[in-house]
């Protein structure tokens, strides 16, 4: 079950923008009154240009044009009171104010168009992210699962955070990862990894084999053009005779520039342990009572896509995962969230201070706390979190009472 980040709701009553609209009119009144009371050789009319300029910074083109027209009208009235509209000094002031009002109105129009484009891009980004990240089921075998994804507020760039879960014959396999970079290329890489994971999670016998499969799926060619595999596009279309690799033909042109940090987990249905392969990803956190235990592997592997550049052995390490424990997976966007003073978000500390129950309550707490940590609830990078709780096995039912003896 996915938790969505709350959206800011604008009240229909008086908003800050409505209050700001009164500032240009107040400037016009103050400058006009001051100009009328000033000595004959002092002219404050040029200061009226500040009114439409200020309005263009927050208001639309219509409001800006209206404020500019009011400023020009005020300048004409001042000219009529102090002398004549045809006076050379007042004539230049009126013409200059009129031209400035036209220019700032045009700039306000460009800003409004840009804001509409950003809103549309954000909608497209969220839709694309929902297509890539399928919602996780609330109950997966003996596990209770919750997840949350929070998009960055910087422009409308789509991030490459990813997570998925797959059921196997003996348990549940999960992946959480983060693609380097942003934009459509990051989404393509994330979709590539998720597709390869869902295809191989049921086939590979162990986690190192699964990690090696994902590495072959995302590793670039020697020339860095694209990865080779059963879905790589060749001269005659898609090659369906590969030996286990997979690709969508959408890769970075620079080898070593595109990589994915990922953590792969295998949680058996029976037992009280899990197995983990960490490919350059932040370590998961195990919440047990009031303790938070980072699951640090002794031999981490390089990120996916870089194993060929830095050869190392892929090893799976075991960690205790008992009933009642909650496992927290996250991406670096959570750790790198900064407050107004530049301080990073202390995830382990905030998770240790939580005293609720259940993965959904944990993610709601961390999501709200993370947004409160950042200025105006704005994240600098996409952030994703997945919480998994191992449920306690049901108690054995009491044996049925023997039937009464027959007479």
């Amino acid at each position: 079950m996915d938790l969505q980040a709350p959206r800011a709701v604008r009240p229909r009553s008086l908003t800050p923008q409505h209050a700001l609209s009164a500032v240009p009119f107040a400037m016009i009144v103050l400058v006009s009154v001051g100009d009328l009371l000033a000595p004959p050789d002092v002219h404050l009319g040029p200061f009226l240009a500040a009114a439409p300029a200020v309005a263009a910074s927050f208001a639309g083109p219509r409001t800006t044009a209206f404020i500019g027209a009011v400023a020009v009208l005020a300048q004409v009235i001042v000219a009529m009171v102090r002398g004549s509209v045809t006076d050379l000094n007042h004539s230049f002031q009126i013409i200059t104010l009129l031209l400035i009002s036209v220019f700032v109105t045009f700039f306000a129009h460009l800003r409004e168009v840009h804001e509409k484009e950003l809103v549309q891009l954000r909608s497209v980004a969220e839709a694309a992210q929902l297509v890539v990240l399928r919602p996780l089921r609330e109950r997966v075998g003996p596990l209770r699962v919750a997840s949350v994804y929070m998009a960055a507020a910087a422009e409308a760039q789509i991030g490459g955070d990813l997570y998925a879960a797959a059921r196997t014959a003996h348990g549940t396999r999960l992946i959480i990862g983060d693609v380097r970079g942003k934009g459509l290329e990051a989404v393509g890489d994330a979709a590539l990894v998720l597709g390869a994971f869902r295809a191989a999670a049921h086939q590979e016998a162990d986690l190192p084999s699964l990690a090696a499969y994902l590495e072959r799926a995302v590793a670039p060619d020697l020339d860095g053009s694209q990865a080779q595999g059963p879905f790589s596009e060749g001269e005659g279309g898609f090659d369906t005779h590969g030996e286990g690799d997979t690709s969508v033909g959408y890769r970075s042109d620079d080898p070593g520039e595109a990589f994915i940090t990922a953590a792969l987990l295998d949680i058996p249905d029976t037992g009280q342990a899990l197995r983990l392969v960490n490919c350059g990803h932040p370590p998961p956190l195990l919440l047990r009572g009031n303790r938070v235990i980072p699951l640090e592997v002794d031999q981490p592997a390089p990120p996916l896509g870089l194993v060929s550049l830095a050869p190392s052995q892929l090893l799976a390490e075991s960690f205790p995962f008992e009933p009642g424990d909650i496992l927290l997976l996250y991406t670096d966007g959570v750790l790198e969230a900064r407050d107004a003073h530049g301080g990073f978000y202390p995830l382990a500390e905030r998770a240790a201070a939580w005293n609720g129950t259940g993965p959904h309550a944990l993610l709601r707490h961390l999501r709200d706390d993370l947004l409160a940590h950042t200025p105006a609830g704005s994240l600098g990078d996409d952030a994703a979190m997945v919480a998994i709780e191992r449920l306690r096995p049901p108690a054995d039912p009491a044996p049925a009472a023997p039937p009464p003896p027959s007479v």
Side-chain angles (χ1 to χ4, degrees):
M1 178 179 180
D2 282 6
L3 303 175
Q4 298 295 332
R7 299 178 179 271
V9 180
R10 296 182 178 180
R12 295 184 178 273
S13 58
L14 185 63
T15 62
Q17 184 171 350
H18 293 154
L20 288 175
S21 300
V23 174
F25 293 104
M27 295 174 62
I28 293 174
V29 173
L30 292 177
V31 172
S32 300
V33 173
D35 200 2
L36 292 174
L37 300 178
D41 56 341
V42 176
H43 297 277
L44 303 179
F47 291 100
L48 288 173
V54 170
S57 65
F58 62 87
R62 293 183 179 180
T63 303
T64 303
F66 177 73
I67 293 176
V70 173
V72 172
L73 178 61
Q75 182 60 47
V76 172
I77 295 175
V78 170
M80 295 175 60
V81 173
R82 298 195 59 177
S84 173
V85 178
T86 59
D87 178 72
L88 185 62
N89 187 15
H90 290 106
S91 298
F92 274 108
Q93 291 183 21
I94 294 173
I95 295 174
T96 303
L97 182 58
L98 181 61
L99 293 177
I100 292 176
S101 300
V102 172
F103 287 145
V104 297
T105 300
F106 177 70
F107 294 148
H109 169 71
L110 295 180
R111 180 183 56 79
E112 188 176 62
V113 171
H114 181 62
E115 289 178 351
K116 291 181 179 179
E117 291 176 351
L118 287 181
V119 172
Q120 294 176 352
L121 287 175
R122 173 57 63 186
S123 301
V124 173
E126 292 177 350
Q129 201 73 47
L130 290 176
V131 172
V132 173
L133 290 180
R134 300 176 185 174
L136 298 180
R137 289 183 297 173
E138 183 176 358
R139 182 73 179 268
V140 182
L143 307 176
R144 182 180 290 122
V145 182
S147 59
V148 60
Y149 172 82
M150 292 169 285
E155 294 297 327
Q157 294 191 355
I158 312 171
D161 291 10
L162 58 97
Y163 52 79
R167 287 288 293 164
T168 65
H170 305 288
T172 303
R173 286 181 173 175
L174 299 104
I175 183 175
I176 187 166
D178 188 4
V179 178
R180 179 189 180 276
K182 290 185 177 296
L184 293 179
E185 184 174 354
V187 173
D189 292 340
L192 170 63
V193 175
L194 291 176
F197 171 80
R198 294 181 179 118
H202 311 276
Q203 302 174 2
E204 301 298 333
D206 51 25
L207 280 186
S209 300
L210 177 58
Y213 183 95
L214 298 180
E215 167 63 23
R216 295 193 302 269
V218 303
D221 278 355
L222 295 178
D223 60 357
S225 59
Q226 71 179 38
Q228 296 294 332
F231 303 108
S232 59
E233 191 173 2
E235 295 180 358
F238 289 95
D239 180 13
T240 59
H241 303 285
E243 297 297 333
D245 300 309
T246 181
S247 171
V248 293
Y250 187 73
R251 299 295 303 134
S252 173
D253 293 335
D254 298 327
E257 291 297 326
F259 59 86
I260 300 99
T261 65
L264 297 169
L265 298 99
D266 193 352
I267 306 177
D269 289 344
T270 59
Q272 298 184 4
L274 61 83
R275 297 183 64 80
L276 168 66
V277 172
N278 195 324
C279 299
H281 199 74
L285 300 179
L286 182 67
L287 280 67
R288 177 175 294 165
N290 295 326
R291 294 187 299 162
V292 175
I293 307 171
L295 302 187
E296 298 274 4
V297 297
D298 294 332
Q299 298 183 9
L304 300 176
L306 298 182
V307 175
S308 60
L309 302 179
S312 63
Q313 188 176 5
L314 295 171
L315 298 176
E317 301 184 24
S318 297
F319 296 92
F321 187 39
E322 302 174 358
D325 292 347
I326 296 181
L327 185 66
L328 178 61
L329 312 177
Y330 55 93
T331 59
D332 57 4
V334 178
L335 299 178
E336 296 175 356
R338 296 175 180 264
D339 58 14
H341 304 287
F344 292 105
Y345 180 70
L347 176 61
E349 177 183 340
R350 301 297 174 86
W354 175 70
N355 56 5
T357 58
H360 296 86
L362 172 62
L363 290 193
R364 279 193 294 267
H365 167 75
L366 293 178
R367 177 196 62 189
D368 298 340
D369 189 60
L370 179 63
L371 294 177
H373 176 81
T374 58
S378 177
L379 298 177
D381 191 9
D382 290 7
M385 292 183 289
V386 178
I388 307 115
E389 180 185 15
R390 182 186 284 276
L391 301 176
R392 301 185 183 277
D396 295 334
S406 57
V407 178

